[in-house]
């Protein structure tokens, strides 16, 4: 490697580290925002002086408001993200959801709380949708599933943080303090993102801003080639997703690209995968403490289950992502869905506490850990002009499942159904997700060799050797 190549490689590594750190931190607070409600819902149910009287069914509806906002935000980001760019959307929505969390902490009525949760969710959804495109366009080929898992593990890590702080600060602050913590990105993360998060050179190239793309490519060390790790081809090979074009052969951008022949059916299936993953994620994160509390565990123990769920998602998601880079994400996602189904069925048995905690951790791998892998699968499935729209569709349509999850849990608890019924229902959803994943079509094997260990596409001369 000559001096220029070494310098470019060092520059790219530095850029990638900063971009991944900013994206992961943003999603960490997103995860905190979405899980913190589950840590305080029991308190809100039992103390009407906070925001008003609530029953379990109303609390489930209230929990779904944020997820409805996430769906709106994700779909909006998909509609404008491939036109406005990655950097602008990241910055705008870091500010948006931080202000939303601060204002929610001041809510004094059920109506105000619900409205502010919805508005906060819009910022969260836009960030979740944009982060996948950012990872796919900055991370080196052949390691994108791992980097994607690293960034999206910020979501369960945020849930982990919410669970820990709810336990540690239980006697120090109330739910308002926990929500106010979620506003910290405005003063901590936004300045860092403003200084360190560049626009995507590949997005500039896709928008026809070629001169700017080349200048930024040199500055950041990020190449303009759009290679991706192939599903099922193993490490060392890069597959290029086919272009999305209309009948006249003209390239399409955004949501229009998702409706083309190459992508129409896979887009529906990928959306259904996300629907199942997010139904599990938010159904369990909202109601697991309450379900285990009704099963006889005190508040600290019931929050410990939430801690185990999100810890399993973080660790399991990262480990599974390495397998996804080697074997392709489709097989790994299907497997983790099945793991979730088995783990949730095990929770219906009267096992000792340590066994139940282990089962909950594996359920975390198969719920939010699986969703982390799905985002990586989707962001690498589409070409650059359709990438933000593809991730946004996945995050947005999937949020219908996220909305339904808390509603299902609230309905079952209000109906006084045994906890085993809720776990069996969630297990059936996980199994359905695994079946849907199996039918997602692989791309045709348009592939190029990759430099081992680097994730870089080899030049044609190097390939010949």
């Amino acid at each position: 490697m000559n001096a220029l190549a070494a310098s470019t490689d060092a520059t790219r590594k530095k850029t990638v580290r900063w971009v991944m750190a900013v994206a992961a931190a943003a999603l960490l607070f997103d995860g905190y925002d979405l899980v913190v409600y589950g840590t305080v819902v029991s308190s809100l149910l039992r103390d009407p002086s906070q925001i008003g009287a609530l029953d379990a069914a109303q609390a489930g509806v209230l929990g779904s408001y944020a997820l409805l906002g996430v769906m709106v935000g994700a779909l909006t980001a998909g509609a404008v993200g491939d036109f406005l760019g990655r950097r602008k959307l990241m910055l705008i929505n870091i500010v948006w959801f931080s202000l939303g969390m601060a204002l929610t902490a001041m809510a004094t009525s059920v109506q105000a709380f619900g409205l502010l949760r919805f508005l906060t969710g819009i910022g969260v959804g836009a960030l979740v949708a944009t982060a996948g495109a950012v990872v796919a366009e900055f991370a080196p080929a052949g390691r994108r599933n791992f980097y994607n898992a690293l960034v999206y593990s910020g979501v369960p890590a945020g849930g982990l943080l919410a669970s820990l702080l709810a336990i540690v600060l239980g006697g120090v602050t109330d739910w308002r303090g926990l929500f106010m913590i979620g506003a910290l990105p405005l003063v901590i993360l936004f300045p860092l993102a403003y200084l360190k998060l560049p626009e995507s050179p590949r997005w500039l190239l896709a928008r026809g801003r070629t001169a700017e793309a080349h200048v930024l490519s040199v500055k950041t060390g990020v190449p303009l080639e759009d290679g991706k790790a192939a599903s099922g081809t193993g490490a060392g090979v890069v597959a290029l997703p086919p272009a999305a074009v209309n009948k006249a052969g003209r390239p399409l951008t955004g949501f229009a690209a998702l409706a083309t022949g190459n992508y129409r059916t896979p887009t529906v299936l990928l959306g259904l995968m996300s629907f199942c993953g997010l139904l599990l994620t938010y159904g369990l994160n909202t109601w697991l403490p309450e379900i285990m509390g009704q099963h006889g565990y005190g508040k600290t123990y019931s929050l410990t289950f939430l801690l185990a769920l999100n810890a399993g998602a973080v660790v399991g998601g990262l480990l599974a992502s390495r397998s996804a880079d080697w074997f392709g994400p489709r097989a790994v996602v299907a497997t983790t869905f099945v793991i979730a189904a088995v783990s949730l069925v095990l929770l219906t048995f009267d096992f000792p506490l340590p066994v139940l905690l282990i089962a909950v951790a594996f359920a975390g791998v198969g719920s939010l850990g699986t969703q982390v892998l799905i985002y990586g699968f989707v962001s690498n499935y589409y070409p650059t002009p359709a990438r933000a729209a593809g991730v946004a569709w996945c995050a947005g349509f999937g949020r219908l499942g996220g909305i339904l999850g808390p509603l299902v849990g609230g309905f079952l608890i209000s109906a006084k159904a045994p906890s085993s019924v809720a776990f069996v229902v969630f297990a059936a959803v996980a199994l359905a997700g695994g079946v849907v994943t199996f039918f997602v079509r692989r791309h045709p094997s348009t592939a190029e060799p990759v430099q081992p260990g680097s994730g870089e596409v080899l030049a044609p001369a190097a390939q010949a050797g």
Side-chain angles (χ1 to χ4, degrees):
M1 181 182 289
N2 59 37
L4 180 60
S7 175
T8 300
D9 188 56
T11 301
R12 182 184 188 182
K13 286 180 179 178
K14 183 178 179 180
T15 299
V16 169
R17 287 193 197 105
W18 275 114
V19 169
M20 299 302 146
V22 168
L27 293 188
L28 182 140
F29 281 99
D30 281 4
Y32 180 91
D33 165 72
L34 292 170
V35 173
V36 71
Y37 178 70
T39 71
V40 304
V41 67
S42 294
S43 299
L44 296 178
L45 284 168
R46 289 163 177 74
D47 186 359
S49 68
Q50 296 300 317
I51 60 172
L54 282 176
D55 60 28
Q58 291 172 321
V61 173
L62 205 58
S64 295
Y65 286 165
L67 301 174
L68 182 61
V70 171
M71 181 181 70
V72 172
L75 293 175
T76 301
V80 302
D82 287 315
F83 298 93
L84 289 182
R86 318 310 187 205
R87 172 181 160 84
K88 286 180 184 176
L89 276 184
M90 291 287 287
L91 294 175
I92 289 169
N93 288 289
I94 287 171
V95 174
W96 184 298
F97 87 78
S98 299
L99 291 176
M101 285 294 282
L103 293 172
T104 304
M106 304 174 193
T108 57
S109 69
V110 172
Q111 293 78 13
F113 186 89
L115 175 62
L116 289 167
R117 291 296 287 153
F118 169 77
L119 293 174
T120 304
I122 292 175
V124 172
L127 273 176
V128 169
T130 307
V134 168
V135 173
E137 289 166 18
F138 280 93
R143 300 195 69 199
R144 288 191 179 129
N145 283 295
F146 175 70
Y147 275 107
N148 188 86
L150 203 60
V151 167
Y152 276 101
S153 287
V155 178
L160 196 63
L161 179 64
S163 305
L164 281 171
L165 290 179
I167 293 171
V168 173
L169 301 179
V172 178
T173 188
D174 61 2
W175 70 271
R176 297 184 190 277
L178 292 174
F179 271 76
M180 194 61 75
I181 290 171
L184 287 177
L186 184 61
V187 295
I188 296 175
L189 182 59
F190 177 77
L192 187 65
Y194 185 84
L195 293 172
K196 296 294 185 179
L197 182 66
E199 184 52 87
S200 164
R202 293 179 185 173
W203 175 80
L204 290 171
L205 185 66
R207 296 299 298 164
R209 295 160 63 177
T210 307
E212 292 177 72
H214 280 284
V215 170
L216 192 57
S217 177
V218 172
K219 182 180 178 180
T220 61
V222 176
L224 296 176
E225 295 87 356
D226 196 28
K228 296 176 182 63
S231 294
T233 58
V237 177
V238 164
L240 304 176
V245 296
N246 62 13
K247 292 181 179 179
R250 184 173 62 85
L252 296 174
T253 298
F255 286 119
L258 308 188
T260 59
N262 285 333
Y263 294 108
R264 188 181 301 114
T265 300
T267 292
V268 172
L269 295 175
L270 290 168
L272 289 172
M273 286 165 54
S274 185
F275 177 94
C276 293
L278 288 172
L279 191 155
L280 291 172
T281 295
Y282 293 110
L284 292 172
N285 269 302
T286 300
W287 290 113
L288 185 62
E290 183 68 16
I291 291 172
M292 301 313 292
Q294 292 187 3
H295 203 59
Y297 293 96
K299 180 179 179 181
T300 300
Y301 278 116
S302 60
L303 286 173
T304 302
F305 283 103
L306 198 59
L307 195 68
L309 183 77
N310 286 283
V314 173
V315 176
L318 288 173
L319 292 176
S321 70
R322 300 309 298 264
S323 298
D325 277 327
W326 280 92
F327 303 110
R330 190 180 76 153
V332 178
V333 168
T335 301
T336 54
F337 265 131
V338 172
I339 288 173
V342 172
S343 301
L344 289 165
V345 169
L346 290 177
L347 291 175
T348 65
F349 295 94
D350 192 21
F351 289 121
L353 178 62
V355 177
L356 291 177
L357 286 172
I358 292 171
V360 167
F362 275 101
V365 175
S367 54
L368 188 46
T370 296
Q371 190 62 30
V372 166
L373 296 173
I374 290 172
Y375 285 133
F377 190 3
V378 173
S379 63
N380 290 308
Y381 197 85
Y382 295 99
T384 298
R387 183 168 292 122
V391 179
W393 159 256
C394 175
F397 182 80
R399 257 22 185 227
L400 291 174
I403 292 166
L404 188 60
L407 292 176
V408 168
F411 172 78
L412 292 173
I413 289 173
S414 295
K416 308 295 184 184
S419 60
S420 59
V421 173
F423 290 133
V424 169
V425 169
F426 288 132
V429 172
L431 194 59
V435 172
V436 169
T437 304
F438 179 79
F439 288 101
V440 176
R441 183 176 67 241
R442 289 188 178 96
H443 285 315
S445 56
T446 304
E448 301 176 20
V450 176
Q451 179 65 41
S454 72
E456 296 302 326
V457 178
L458 290 173
Q463 292 177 34

